[in-house]
Amino acid sequence: MLKGKKIILGITGSIAAYKSVFLLRLLLQEGAEVKVIMTPAAKDFITPLTLSTLSKNPVLTELFDEQSWSNHVMLGRWADLFVIAPLSCNTLAKMAQGICDNLLLAVYLSATCPVAVAPAMDEDMWKHSSTKENLQRLKSFGNSIIPVGNGALASGLHGEGRMAEPEQILEFIKEHFSVANELQGKKVLVTAGPTYEPIDPVRFIGNHSSGKMGIAIANELCNRGAEVTLILGPTKETVNNSRISIIKVTTALEMYEAVENRFDITDLTIMAAAVADYTPVKQATQKIKKHEAGLSLDLIKTRDILKAIGERKKSGQILVGFALETNNETEYAKEKLVKKNADLIVLNSMQDKGAGFNHDTNKVTIFSKDQVFEFETKTKQEVAKDIVDTIIRLYYA
Ligand code: CTP
């Protein structure tokens, strides 16, 4: 099943490191080629000799020694998958912050392959808010988290935080490779975030879109093997997935031009951005001063990007739009499907709790011309998976 797959197994300083030996053996039995990287702390728990003997490859721990330098960039490019098991709390925090003080972290930061981590820690550490936040950051970078188990812990206590068993990690890896390539060779365009329409040098017309949903979709598409370009409006969110090409834009016009430039060579376009419908006719060159009288702004309509590319769509190109509605959701969503010549419309209802702008969760319904797919409230990463699964099932299975 894993024949010919190149895997880097990263091991960090945790008592669960002894289980990595079993994981390594399972990966080798499945035909994978494995290179092992250890953090310095991991060597306190398990010897490199055991791992190098089993993997038939030298175990790498240092960025450089007196004689040589480990090419972390090439390692990250060599691998089809980088699995860090166990992932300690300390390495997790460093990964979340972009710290690079050992070889494992340097490979992580330069890896172009997907990354999966299997955390291992005591329950209290596992439940700490900083751990949750750090894991959330890793997810936002497009990394996969292998769920922890429940049971006996190194502290002698019982609870959540045990590293998943080697067999479970192997299943996760097999599953990853069975779905990872569904969109191999497909060029995908995703728009995300708001647009800002300048009024004067200090003010703009914008909206509350955080860009999280579109970024989660871009990450998911990337994990399925697609070549992803993300056209991103102004957002505080960071996208640290080096496999995604990012084009930053500010206005609706800039977003239109970026989409238009790339649309013809794109197989799948997902328009998750909340594009401004109106923009000021004129942008004042100096700050507008206040006066006793009120202020009226003349606005003109922006180009409807989705509609414009819908009109140009050729056979084989798939177009997915979003609809954000506060009322008559179904009717408006179906109307957008026809008006914009989209293949699917993903409806975000503002009426559902935990859905819409600035939440980490969302609830969507997907409309095609003849089917409706309803989903529960889920994290935006899970919603992204549902959306991508639906697209693959309908058009690429
Ligand atoms: N959209 C677009 N260009 C615009 C406005 C919207 O491409 N100028 C896209 C959005 O990215 C989304 C879809 O159109 O995929 C629907 O956006 P929405 O704001 O819900 O609808 P509108 O078309 O703007 O219509 P209305 O505001 O009347 O609901």
Side-chain angles (χ1 to χ4, degrees):
M1 170 82 199
L2 298 179
K3 202 162 172 40
K5 300 288 181 222
K6 299 188 181 87
I7 298 175
I8 298 177
L9 173 59
I11 305 177
T12 72
S14 153
I15 185 71
Y18 79 90
K19 291 196 206 169
S20 308
V21 180
F22 298 100
L23 174 60
L24 172 60
R25 274 189 46 194
L26 291 172
L27 292 171
L28 295 168
Q29 279 163 7
E30 291 285 337
E33 188 183 342
V34 186
K35 290 189 180 177
V36 178
I37 303 179
M38 298 173 84
T39 60
K43 291 196 285 183
D44 292 335
F45 293 91
I46 176 174
T47 73
L49 185 61
T50 312
L51 298 156
S52 63
T53 310
L54 281 173
S55 68
K56 299 191 179 65
N57 272 317
V59 169
L60 306 160
T61 47
E62 307 296 338
L63 262 168
F64 48 85
D65 58 27
E66 277 166 17
Q67 272 102 48
S68 62
W69 171 76
S70 289
N71 190 334
H72 53 88
V73 175
M74 290 331 282
L75 267 168
R77 289 186 176 221
W78 168 84
D80 298 312
L81 178 68
F82 185 11
V83 185
I84 304 177
L87 173 66
S88 67
C89 222
N90 186 38
T91 298
L92 165 65
K94 289 181 180 179
M95 287 163 73
Q97 294 307 319
I99 294 172
C100 183
D101 62 1
N102 62 43
L103 178 66
L104 185 143
L105 292 163
V107 173
Y108 171 66
L109 285 173
S110 49
T112 49
C113 63
V115 178
V117 300
M121 58 198 80
D122 255 290
E123 184 168 50
D124 296 336
M125 295 164 86
W126 174 248
K127 292 204 162 146
H128 198 281
S129 316
S130 66
T131 304
K132 299 281 167 231
E133 265 179 46
N134 289 336
L135 282 169
Q136 207 48 48
R137 261 179 86 76
L138 257 56
K139 279 190 196 167
S140 77
F141 300 160
N143 305 155
S144 307
I145 316 292
I146 303 172
V148 295
N150 203 314
L153 299 164
S155 58
L157 299 171
H158 252 258
E160 251 182 280
R162 272 170 73 93
M163 183 176 88
E165 294 306 320
E167 292 75 11
Q168 291 168 323
I169 300 177
L170 178 70
E171 275 318 302
F172 188 96
I173 293 171
K174 283 184 174 173
E175 165 84 10
H176 164 84
F177 281 115
S178 71
V179 298
N181 290 326
E182 294 149 314
L183 294 175
Q184 186 87 44
K186 299 282 175 234
K187 289 192 169 55
V188 178
L189 202 57
V190 181
T191 67
T195 63
Y196 287 175
E197 308 304 317
I199 298 170
D200 68 14
V202 292
R203 304 174 178 103
F204 59 83
I205 298 173
N207 60 63
H208 292 300
S209 169
S210 63
K212 284 181 184 170
M213 193 63 247
I215 292 170
I217 291 172
N219 277 326
E220 185 60 32
L221 289 161
C222 202
N223 286 341
R224 307 297 187 94
E227 196 182 308
V228 184
T229 302
L230 175 65
I231 299 173
L232 187 60
T235 160
K236 286 199 243 71
E237 296 298 306
T238 44
V239 187
N240 288 3
N241 188 334
S242 56
R243 291 173 295 144
I244 298 177
S245 311
I246 301 169
I247 297 166
K248 293 202 172 171
V249 296
T250 304
T251 64
L253 180 62
E254 286 169 9
M255 189 171 275
Y256 172 77
E257 285 167 352
V259 171
E260 139 99 354
N261 277 338
R262 283 157 195 84
F263 181 65
D264 288 342
I265 53 151
T266 300
D267 300 292
L268 165 67
T269 304
I270 303 185
M271 299 280 303
V275 189
D277 288 327
Y278 293 93
T279 190
V281 174
K282 272 203 258 156
Q283 182 191 345
T285 50
Q286 304 298 339
K287 183 182 165 195
I288 301 172
K289 301 299 285 177
K290 68 172 172 291
H291 298 286
E292 281 313 312
L295 173 72
S296 300
L297 283 175
D298 279 334
L299 303 177
I300 47 162
K301 263 188 82 185
T302 55
R303 293 284 295 268
D304 188 324
I305 309 170
L306 181 56
K307 187 159 183 284
I309 57 173
E311 283 161 8
R312 272 175 47 187
K313 188 177 75 167
K314 294 202 193 69
S315 111
Q317 283 186 306
I318 303 299
L319 194 52
V320 181
F322 270 67
L324 181 72
E325 308 292 351
T326 54
N327 58 315
N328 296 340
E329 293 103 337
T330 303
E331 186 191 329
Y332 288 147
K334 285 186 170 164
E335 213 175 271
K336 278 177 191 162
L337 198 59
V338 178
K339 258 199 339 221
K340 306 199 185 206
N341 195 25
D343 298 282
L344 297 176
I345 288 286
V346 181
L347 169 70
N348 281 303
S349 170
M350 291 288 278
Q351 293 186 345
D352 292 307
K353 239 177 110 204
F357 289 138
N358 275 322
H359 289 288
D360 286 326
T361 51
N362 202 6
K363 182 176 188 318
V364 300
T365 307
I366 303 179
F367 293 85
S368 74
K369 298 218 162 67
D370 42 24
Q371 293 182 79
V372 180
F373 307 91
E374 280 194 59
F375 299 91
E376 296 303 311
T377 304
K378 298 180 178 184
T379 65
K380 288 191 172 167
Q381 279 78 22
E382 288 165 336
V383 172
K385 200 166 178 307
D386 286 339
I387 294 170
V388 174
D389 278 342
T390 307
I391 294 170
I392 290 172
R393 211 172 46 246
L394 292 177
Y395 306 108
Y396 299 108

